[in-house]
Amino acid sequence: MTVQPNVLRADARRNRERILEAAVRSFSEKGADVAIDTIAKAAGVGSATLYRHFPTREALVEAAYRNELARVCDSAADLLAGHPPDRALRLWMDRFIDYLAAKHGMADALRAAVATGADPFAETLDRLGTAISTLLYAGADARLLRSDIDPLDVGFSLSGLALVTSAPGHRERAGRLLDLLLDGLRHTAPRPTPTP
């Protein structure tokens, strides 16, 4: 039996996931200079295991960010499978806000990785645009969401909303603003009157 080199065993996959989760938490809470050994310990693995998966700090930062991005983007299809499109979009918006909070928390570590030539953001706009488009098109097809919305506008709206509610204690306000944004995206929302 031949084992494909890019396929991780189940225990290696679990270790990798734990390392990435611990990295996001550690970089967010302790900053870009947190010791790699501290991340390994938080993940419940040895330093050698961490370095086997991520040979450099930059590789770890980039993988941790991309994992958060994949988690939020890949959830769009899963949410649509279990919910009506408008509800799926609203649930996805919450996940997007959490993704931005993790990205903000990792900002120093991401800047340090970029300074070394890494490009963790290479796929970000495409992946987010695809996820938002998937949700909006499903909602438009079901006649629950407007069909005249640019997915990039929704992404920028969510980013702005996350920015103004990023202070501790504002998560409840973010939820109310997300509800308001979703109401504006609904199929029955009034259309703007064209200006002469």
Side-chain angles (χ1 to χ4, degrees), residues 76-98:
D78 295 336
L79 289 168
L80 282 171
H83 302 279
D86 56 342
R87 180 70 182 142
L89 176 61
R90 179 58 181 83
L91 291 169
W92 188 87
M93 288 174 168
D94 275 322
R95 292 180 184 197
F96 182 79
I97 296 295
D98 293 339

Side-chain angles (χ1 to χ4, degrees), residues 100-169:
L100 287 179
K103 179 181 171 188
H104 179 73
M106 292 181 61
D108 290 340
L110 287 164
R111 275 192 289 275
V114 168
T116 67
D119 187 6
F121 308 115
E123 303 171 356
T124 301
L125 280 180
D126 287 342
R127 300 244 9 226
L128 288 171
T130 298
I132 295 170
S133 296
T134 298
L135 292 158
L136 289 176
Y137 295 153
D141 286 347
R143 299 190 52 78
L144 294 170
L145 299 174
R146 293 169 49 175
S147 61
D148 61 339
I149 304 298
D150 182 334
L152 197 54
D153 289 345
V154 173
F156 283 128
S157 298
L158 289 169
S159 297
L161 188 151
L163 182 64
V164 299
T165 59
S166 62

Side-chain angles (χ1 to χ4, degrees), residues 144-149 180-194:
L144 294 170
L145 299 174
R146 293 169 49 175
S147 61
D148 61 339
I149 304 298
L180 185 62
L181 176 58
L182 181 61
D183 283 347
L185 298 173
R186 292 194 187 280
H187 178 66
T188 56
R191 304 300 190 272
T193 306

